[in-house]
Amino acid sequence: MANSGNGEGRPALRQAIHVGIIGGGQLGRMLGLAGIPLGIRFRILEPKENAPASAIGEHIRGDYDDPEALDRFAEGLDAVTYEFENVPVESARRLAGQVPVFPPPAALEMAQDRLVEKETFESIGIETAPWRQVDSREDLARALEVLGTPAILKTRRFGYDGKGQERIDDGPSADAAWERLGGVPLILEGFVDFHRELSGIAVRDRSGQIRHYPLAENLHRDGILRESRAPAPGILPERAREARTKVERLLEYLDYVGVVAVEFFETADGLIANEMAPRVHNSGHWSQDGGGVSQFENHIRAILGLPLGDPAPNGWAGMVNLIGGFPRRREALGVSGARLHLYDKSPRPGRKIGHINVRRGSLEELEKGMAQISELAHDAGEG
Ligand SMILES: Nc1ncnc2c1ncn2[C@@H]1O[C@H](COP(=O)(O)OP(=O)(O)O)[C@@H](O)[C@H]1O
Ligand SMILES: [Mg+2]
């Protein structure tokens, strides 16, 4: 067996719980770091050697769609989860025939296609940006007539960190966008005039109990999340209620188990849902050091049928992503209250390689901490 890591050769303990994670990225690594204190053993399925999550347990090296690797991965597990949304749905379904898989493969399937995602949102009363399906240059022209500009052309599948999308402002930029993205199934979205981006993260357990993290305010640059703050400063109680109601509706509709993240645009008239992630989410990383139970631990608790913990932060929490480089440990840790999380990835431009969390007693103090950390992150990364 192509195993490595500290799971190899250890006798099975009667009381140990074994969780499998499909994907070996930083989210898998942090799920493991949260579950290990609960006495849980982890196994990951990941084709690449030396993945960030290799550190948390046994590593089965195999492709996500290799039946033989999937069977080897599933053996003896109590539950399977995944840490990225492009897990082949067929693989998730195959595993679900052998071991409980959460979140349910149907949620995965929906989240993989922006068009299906938007249709689902709309069918349960969750408002989205206006959109049109685009499969040809003529479709694009027609969609632009209806939606106007600015608009955003996006691939239906496999987009992340702003990749696979192009903004269209006029005729020439429509040609350029088509040139770059045409040939795969696309969607055109009307541009939402939002004043900020928020995310609603919640967790639902196997008995249907739901806990909400406070809405986070998210700052993106070049399509990549840079900073999150929670609770979202100045959020109106009715907005927070609206988000909870919408997230709950989605969780119930999907009979969901685990952590979900829904990205929203906040506009003058309320919330517009952008997309959902059927997994723990970058905008919830602050919860590791917020003083409540983190999204990672609650996800593990939920999929195992264990009681959920209180997500509420104690005071104000924030997170700054480290993109393309990281500051000296000595400097990062020198910021009062700062907690450093590195993913063991080599720096590359535009690549998330870690984050720093900070928690403070007041919003004013949080802002001071965030400013110090952002400056360090900025100096270390590509800017
Ligand atoms: N319809 C839209 N109107 C305005 N801004 C948008 C729209 N769609 C995406 N964006 C901007 O682009 C970012 C990335 O788009 P998103 O659909 O979330 O893709 P990704 O999968 O890359 O996160 C969003 O966080 C937002 O800042
Ligand atoms: Mg997004």
Side-chain angles (χ1 to χ4, degrees):
M1 256 199 224
N3 290 353
S4 65
N6 60 10
E8 191 176 20
R10 267 204 300 175
L13 287 179
R14 203 177 248 287
Q15 70 272 26
I17 301 176
H18 296 85
V19 169
I21 302 175
I22 311 173
Q26 64 260 23
L27 299 179
R29 175 183 174 96
M30 292 187 278
L31 284 167
L33 289 171
I36 288 168
L38 306 182
I40 294 159
R41 289 183 180 177
F42 289 90
R43 179 184 296 157
I44 64 163
L45 176 66
E46 164 63 50
K48 284 198 284 295
E49 208 175 357
N50 297 324
S54 303
I56 60 153
E58 185 185 359
H59 181 171
I60 304 276
R61 281 190 63 199
D63 288 325
Y64 306 127
D65 57 359
D66 172 1
E68 192 269 327
L70 288 166
D71 291 349
R72 216 151 29 93
F73 169 67
E75 196 183 334
L77 293 178
D78 296 291
V80 162
T81 190
Y82 43 88
E83 59 103 53
F84 70 110
E85 59 255 48
N86 291 318
V87 171
V89 175
E90 261 177 57
S91 300
R93 293 228 155 88
R94 180 190 175 93
L95 288 167
Q98 305 169 55
V99 47
V101 175
F102 297 121
L108 184 66
E109 187 167 34
M110 169 211 155
Q112 286 180 353
D113 184 335
R114 291 186 191 277
L115 188 146
V116 178
E117 188 175 51
K118 286 202 162 51
E119 277 177 347
T120 307
F121 282 162
E122 285 170 356
S123 77
I124 55 175
I126 299 175
E127 199 185 333
T128 69
W131 59 273
R132 286 290 181 278
Q133 179 172 349
V134 172
D135 294 314
S136 65
R137 184 67 184 83
E138 296 73 57
D139 286 349
L140 177 58
R142 266 194 301 275
L144 280 166
E145 265 167 41
V146 183
L147 302 178
T149 51
I152 302 188
L153 188 62
K154 299 182 183 178
T155 58
R156 281 170 58 180
R157 294 173 159 280
F158 303 120
Y160 72 100
D161 284 351
K163 293 182 177 62
Q165 52 180 282
E166 298 287 334
R167 184 180 157 132
I168 297 178
D169 289 293
D170 49 26
S173 62
D175 289 331
W178 177 256
E179 189 67 30
R180 264 179 233 125
L181 300 179
V184 297
L186 301 170
I187 186 171
L188 185 75
E189 291 182 19
F191 196 84
V192 178
D193 183 21
F194 58 82
H195 53 262
R196 63 175 166 173
E197 295 188 70
L198 303 170
S199 55
I201 295 182
V203 58
R204 185 171 183 269
D205 72 13
R206 284 161 81 157
S207 70
Q209 291 262 22
I210 295 176
R211 298 283 199 126
H212 293 270
Y213 286 81
L215 276 180
E217 176 186 303
N218 304 319
L219 200 82
H220 294 80
R221 203 169 54 245
D222 303 328
I224 306 181
L225 180 69
R226 305 286 157 158
E227 298 180 3
S228 294
R229 289 165 172 76
I235 190 77
L236 295 172
E238 71 232 51
R239 282 284 178 278
R241 265 199 306 276
E242 181 188 346
R244 278 169 186 246
T245 307
K246 287 179 172 175
V247 172
E248 248 168 62
R249 222 180 278 152
L250 182 66
L251 287 171
E252 269 150 22
Y253 174 79
L254 293 168
D255 195 13
Y256 196 91
V257 175
V259 165
V260 75
V262 181
E263 296 178 3
F264 291 107
F265 300 127
E266 189 181 28
T267 73
D269 309 318
L271 300 175
I272 304 287
N274 175 31
E275 59 172 354
M276 61 102 70
R279 53 167 171 80
V280 287
H281 194 256
N282 195 173
S283 67
H285 289 2
W286 60 266
S287 66
Q288 291 172 306
D289 300 302
V293 173
S294 75
Q295 60 166 347
F296 300 101
E297 184 174 335
N298 262 336
H299 182 76
I300 297 295
R301 292 191 192 196
I303 66 169
L304 291 173
L306 296 169
L308 299 178
D310 187 358
N314 179 3
W316 297 81
M319 180 228 54
V320 177
N321 269 337
L322 300 173
I323 296 165
F326 56 89
R328 289 171 194 276
R329 288 177 180 81
R330 174 173 301 281
E331 284 173 25
L333 300 175
V335 176
S336 169
R339 309 299 299 269
L340 179 63
H341 299 263
L342 295 178
Y343 310 152
D344 205 5
K345 285 162 81 172
S346 16
R348 235 188 270 143
R351 193 179 202 207
K352 292 174 182 169
I353 55 174
H355 65 273
I356 301 176
N357 288 332
V358 64
R359 171 164 62 103
R360 295 283 171 89
S362 70
L363 182 56
E364 199 188 340
E365 285 303 314
L366 178 73
E367 290 306 344
K368 285 186 197 157
M370 292 289 280
Q372 282 176 281
I373 293 169
S374 307
E375 198 178 307
L376 290 176
H378 187 276
D379 291 347
E382 85 246 54

